[in-house]
């Protein structure tokens, strides 16, 4: 057992009294702003409470996987909420969105009624906390009357049901209570419930949503509609505490987490509250009286570093922490799935529901008992951001068990600049990145004039991100490269160990460490890309550097427009009035930049590309998001799915040639004989290439935990001309012993790891030193005319590394028609 583990176990005896001790609060000379009495502001869009709606009722579904567990089926949720709204003015329910499969997502707010003027005042106070934090936290009326928010996110994993039932139980209890204490509580708090974050998974009994995604890995990618709602609720509600209700870990697991901690958080303001509330939840779980709830597992106290960390911002709690909330994953203890009697399933789900109810009520009590302090500290996160203060170095023993292994921090630049115009490699990518920042709660401005900063000139309209802003930690977490964790921890709960949308989403992003551009700035609320069409009648040239470019190309091909691929992978559309009109329509749709084609150009005429793919939902959706006709194939169905019109076989998962049936092997042989292209990723693509006799090589994989942002060297050609100098890996792969005719389009840099975790085995054969200088993307053309491209990087991983998508699309176009 580690020393840290023993130290953390000892913390329980004293942790509950943290807020009564002399807790360090930072430098005495911290910047303060003068308090100003509130001025009433009319916010026309703010409505009174309750805000009630009649929810559509879904038909009865006897196959709902909730039923055998003894919890509420999805089709009974809307009727229950409708009845509560009819009987109580404390409940406001709405359909706040739709799932991938089209089911309703229910958001419920429980609070005392408010006139429109009162609701406007609540909204104004909520804005003050972020915009004018010192004024907010020193205003006596706000401190007395502001409704502190609690956010409960239930059932994000569909087959972890009971959070929904606990939410419904609390909603009903508070809505129907005649207890004056409950009435007083609801005058001082707003409870926001995402009743079931994953209805499709709830009904099907699956962890993932109907599209196949783990929603609790998507908060900074936001590829799914269900995740978008969670993000909106977190940003809008500004919850003091966020509870993400899960199962099943025995004993009940609840945050705070082990290190590594995200380097951008004001962790001192979090842990001083997170640990005592966790200990209070543990104590209240004991009072339930069940043998299974007599102890909780609190990773910060009980686990070694890396076992259950809060490092990546992709989870609901880690994203909420960057929003200045005090967040928890709550893992109920008893798995009701599997080979159990009906009575045992119901018993277990009942205990789990009780556990989640305790987490909600105890957390609400913590807010009530520490109201002034939690409001102050939420505002303090924002104040530090506005002031541009450095992160605190938190002393050992700040809370029981806090040690040097917990100290993770970063240095904030003064600003970031996202260029527009000639200095931006992809304006659609820049607009997408800006939209992510704004949608996640960050603030972005546009320069009103041209300016010079950091020795570079920028045009008017350039995006400027002043990091003196309230949610600087969130913004910086997305834009900075990240850190190298390799020497600090030997384990992580899950990757990625670095993500950096600033380096991997395809946009040019410049860092200004000590400078805010001296130019008038106007805040913007969305990203935009103008798209360009050159004047006159030239042939039209498009350099493919973003998914938007690929969408435009594939749309033109689908309309029968002649599109030629040049040797460097860019494309040209010859001028005709009809072609120009159709190109113009795609520019308006996808905001891409066409230019006049180079004189004397020559290229290969393309055709609409159909891709048969083996692999995950991420493979499927990456292909679809880039405009390709994507069709699933498997080793068992090649004879019927690898049809004559498929141009490229994409190997994104295991396709074992040796075990194919005679019919399926014949279909594969026929595809290769007619010159079908092959694009493969990771070791699966390399294994298929070797087995099929296409391009022989050795593929070496890093450790399974290895992930992050890497340096690469691009060698030009049709796949990587103009590509990013950085790539993304989630278990890196590199290629050696290349067979005849292999062309290296991209290699790992001399010092591959920019940020992340990449350990090595005892022999030193799978670490970054072994990968340095080795091929990360290779291609060849076989004697039979097959175009083959193999990737050792991860262009499809969870739809994250969008800056790698154009490399993948270029590879498909090259492999399809050479």
């Amino acid at each position: 057992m580690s020393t840290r583990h023993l130290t953390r176990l000892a913390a329980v005896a004293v942790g509950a009294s943290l807020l009564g001790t002399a807790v360090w609060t930072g430098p005495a000379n911290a910047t303060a702003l003068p308090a100003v009495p509130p001025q009433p502001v009319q916010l026309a869009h703010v409505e009174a409470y309750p805000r009630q709606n009649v929810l559509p009722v879904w038909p009865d579904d006897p196959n709902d996987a909730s039923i055998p567990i003894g919890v509420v089926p999805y089709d009974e949720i809307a009727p229950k909420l409708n009845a509560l709204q009819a009987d109580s003015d404390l409940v406001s329910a709405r359909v706040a969105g739709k799932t991938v499969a089209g089911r309703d997502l229910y958001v419920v707010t429980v609070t005392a009624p408010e006139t429109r003027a009162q609701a406007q005042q609540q909204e104004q106070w909520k804005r003050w906390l972020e915009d004018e934090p010192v004024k907010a936290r020193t205003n006596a009326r706000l401190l007395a009357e502001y409704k502190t928010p609690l956010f409960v996110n239930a059932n994000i994993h569909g087959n972890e049901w009971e959070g929904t039932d606990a939410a419904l139980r609390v909603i009903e209890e508070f809505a129907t209570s005649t207890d004056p204490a409950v009435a007083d509580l609801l005058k001082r708090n707003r409870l926001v419930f995402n009743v079931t974050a994953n209805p499709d998974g709830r009904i099907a009994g699956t962890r993932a949503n109907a599209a196949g995604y783990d929603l609790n890995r998507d908060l900074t990618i936001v590829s799914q509609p269900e995740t978008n709602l969670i993000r909106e609720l977190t940003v809008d509600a500004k919850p003091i505490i966020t509870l993400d209700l899960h199962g099943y870990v025995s004993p009940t697991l609840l945050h705070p987490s082990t290190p590594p901690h995200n380097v951008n958080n004001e962790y001192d303001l979090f842990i001083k509250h997170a640990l005592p509330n966790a200990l209070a939840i543990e104590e209240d779980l004991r009072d339930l009286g069940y043998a299974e709830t007599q102890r909780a597992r609190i990773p910060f106290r009980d686990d070694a570093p890396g076992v259950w960390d809060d490092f990546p911002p992709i989870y609901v709690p880690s994203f909420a922490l960057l929003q200045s909330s005090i967040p928890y994953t709550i893992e109920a203890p008893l798995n009701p799935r599997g080979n159990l009697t009906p009575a045992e399933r119901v018993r277990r789900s009942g205990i789990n529901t009780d556990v989640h109810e305790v987490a909600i009520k105890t957390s609400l009590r913590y807010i009530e008992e520490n109201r002034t302090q939690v409001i102050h500290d939420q505002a303090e996160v924002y104040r530090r951001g506005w002031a541009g203060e450095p992160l605190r170095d938190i002393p050992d023993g700040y809370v029981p068990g806090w040690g040097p292994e917990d100290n993770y921090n970063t240095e904030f630049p003064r600003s970031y600049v996202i260029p527009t115009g000639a200095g931006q490699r992809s304006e659609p990518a820049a607009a997408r990145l800006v939209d992510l920042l704004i949608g996640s709660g960050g603030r972005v401005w546009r320069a009103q004039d041209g300016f010079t900063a950091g020795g570079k000139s920028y045009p008017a309209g350039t995006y400027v991100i002043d990091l003196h802003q309230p949610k600087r930690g969130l913004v910086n977490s997305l834009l900075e490269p990240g850190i190298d964790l390799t020497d600090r921890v030997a384990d992580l709960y899950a990757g990625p160990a670095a993500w950096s949308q600033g380096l991997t989403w395809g946009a040019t992003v410049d860092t200004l460490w000590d400078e805010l551009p001296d130019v008038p700035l106007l805040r913007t609320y969305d990203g935009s890309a103008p798209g360009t069409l050159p004047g006159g009648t030239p042939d039209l040239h498009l350099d493919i550097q973003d998914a938007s470019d690929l969408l435009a190309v594939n749309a033109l091909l689908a309309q029968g427009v002649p599109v030629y691929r040049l040797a460097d992978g860019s494309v040209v559309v010859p001028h005709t009035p009809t072609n120009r009109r159709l190109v113009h329509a795609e520019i308006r749709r996808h905001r891409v930049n066409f230019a006049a084609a180079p004189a004397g150009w020559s290229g290969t005429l393309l055709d609409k590309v159909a891709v048969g793919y083996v692999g995950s939902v991420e493979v499927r959706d990456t292909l679809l998001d880039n405009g390709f006709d994507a069709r699933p194939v498997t080793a068992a169905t090649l004879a019927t799915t690898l049809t004559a019109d498929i141009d490229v076989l994409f190997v994104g998962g295991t396709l074992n040639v040796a075990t194919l049936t005679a019919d399926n092997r014949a279909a594969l042989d026929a595809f290769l004989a007619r010159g079908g292209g092959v694009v493969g990723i990771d070791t699966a693509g390399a294994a298929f290439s070797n087995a099929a006799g296409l391009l022989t090589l050795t593929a070496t994989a890093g450790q399974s935990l290895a992930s992050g942002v890497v340096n690469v060297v691009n060698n030009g050609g049709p796949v990587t001309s103009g590509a990013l100098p950085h790539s993304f890996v989630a278990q890196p792969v590199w290629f050696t012993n290349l067979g005849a005719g292999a062309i290296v389009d991209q290699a790992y840099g001399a010092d591959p790891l920019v940020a992340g975790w990449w350990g090595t085995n005892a022999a030193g054969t799978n670490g970054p030193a072994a990968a340095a200088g080795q091929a990360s993307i290779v291609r060849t053309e076989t004697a039979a005319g097959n175009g083959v491209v193999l990737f050792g990087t991860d262009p499809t991983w969870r739809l994250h590394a969008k800056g790698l998508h154009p490399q993948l699309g270029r590879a498909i176009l090259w492999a399809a028609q050479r």
Side-chain angles (χ1 to χ4, degrees), residues 382-533:
Y382 302 142
R383 188 202 65 78
R384 291 179 187 179
W386 283 118
E389 294 178 0
L391 290 169
R392 305 297 196 253
D393 289 322
I394 306 175
D396 293 352
Y398 172 68
V399 297
W402 184 273
E405 69 275 18
D406 288 296
N407 268 309
Y408 282 82
N409 53 41
T410 192
E411 180 182 354
F412 294 112
R414 182 61 184 86
S415 62
Y416 289 97
V417 175
I418 302 178
T420 55
Q424 178 54 252
R425 68 180 302 278
S426 172
E427 298 221 50
R432 182 187 303 113
L433 180 57
V434 166
D435 284 342
L436 177 73
L437 295 170
I438 294 170
S440 300
R443 302 187 182 207
V444 180
W445 293 261
R446 298 197 83 160
Q448 299 303 288
D449 302 312
F451 63 95
T452 300
K456 291 178 63 174
S457 295
Y458 299 93
T462 290
Y463 301 103
V464 176
I465 297 98
D466 181 356
L467 270 197
H468 287 191
Q469 63 170 288
K471 295 182 181 178
R472 61 171 179 179
L474 180 281
V475 172
N476 201 54
S477 188
L478 298 177
L479 293 180
E480 72 172 351
I483 64 170
D484 184 349
L485 285 170
T486 310
D487 294 333
R488 291 205 63 176
V489 291
D491 194 14
L492 285 174
Y493 176 73
W499 45 92
S500 188
Q501 281 86 344
L503 293 183
T504 64
W505 272 36
T508 302
V509 180
D510 295 334
T511 305
L512 299 178
W513 285 102
D514 303 308
E515 183 179 3
L516 177 68
D518 184 14
V519 63
L521 299 174
L522 181 65
R523 188 172 172 188
T524 187
Y525 293 91
D526 57 34
S528 63
T532 56
L533 179 69

Side-chain angles (χ1 to χ4, degrees), residues 128 139 246 332 343 376 391 418 448 471 522 540 576 613 653 722 759:
W128 276 8
N139 183 267
H246 289 257
H376 177 281
L391 290 169
I418 302 178
Q448 299 303 288
K471 295 182 181 178
L522 181 65
L540 300 173
T576 69
Y613 69 90

Side-chain angles (χ1 to χ4, degrees), residues 500-775:
S500 188
Q501 281 86 344
L503 293 183
T504 64
W505 272 36
T508 302
V509 180
D510 295 334
T511 305
L512 299 178
W513 285 102
D514 303 308
E515 183 179 3
L516 177 68
D518 184 14
V519 63
L521 299 174
L522 181 65
R523 188 172 172 188
T524 187
Y525 293 91
D526 57 34
S528 63
T532 56
L533 179 69
T537 59
D539 295 335
L540 300 173
H541 178 253
L542 178 63
D543 187 17
I544 298 173
Q545 296 298 341
D546 186 71
S548 296
D549 302 323
L550 285 163
L551 287 168
V553 168
N554 281 318
L556 291 169
L557 291 172
Q559 298 171 80
V561 176
V563 180
Y564 291 81
R565 179 182 47 77
L566 307 189
D568 66 355
S570 62
V571 298
V572 169
V573 177
H575 172 75
T576 69
T578 298
N579 288 351
R580 185 177 177 86
R581 175 177 56 80
L582 293 173
V583 166
H584 193 201
E586 295 309 317
I587 291 172
R588 290 197 305 270
R589 182 176 302 133
H590 299 297
R591 319 310 296 178
V592 296
N593 292 333
F594 276 82
W601 65 269
S602 64
T604 301
L605 182 63
L606 299 176
D607 197 359
K608 187 176 185 295
V609 179
V611 182
Y613 69 90
V614 177
S616 64
V617 295
E618 289 95 338
V619 169
R620 174 198 69 198
D621 290 344
T622 300
L623 295 171
L624 293 174
D625 286 353
N626 287 277
F628 290 103
D629 176 4
R631 308 178 195 175
V633 302
T634 69
T637 67
L638 289 176
T640 55
T641 57
L642 195 59
T643 52
D645 58 336
I646 288 182
D647 305 290
V648 173
L649 177 61
F650 187 98
V651 183
T654 300
L655 181 56
N656 191 335
V657 175
T659 60
L660 294 177
T661 66
D663 286 348
N664 289 322
R665 179 60 194 255
L668 176 61
D669 289 343
F671 170 79
L672 296 175
R674 67 175 182 263
V678 173
V679 175
I681 58 174
D682 301 327
T683 54
F688 174 81
S689 178
N690 282 329
L694 300 172
L695 171 59
T696 58
L697 42 64
T698 299
T700 303
Q703 295 186 32
S704 60
L705 183 63
S707 58
V709 182
V710 293
N711 289 310
V712 291
V713 176
N714 296 303
N715 297 323
V719 176
T720 61
S721 287
L724 295 167
H726 304 100
S727 195
F728 177 81
V729 293
Q731 192 173 28
V733 172
W734 58 98
F735 307 119
T736 56
N737 302 319
L738 304 180
I743 299 170
V744 177
D745 280 337
Q746 185 188 87
Y748 290 100
D751 185 10
L753 188 64
V754 175
W757 189 95
W758 190 348
T760 186
N761 56 18
T765 57
N766 66 350
Q774 303 296 345

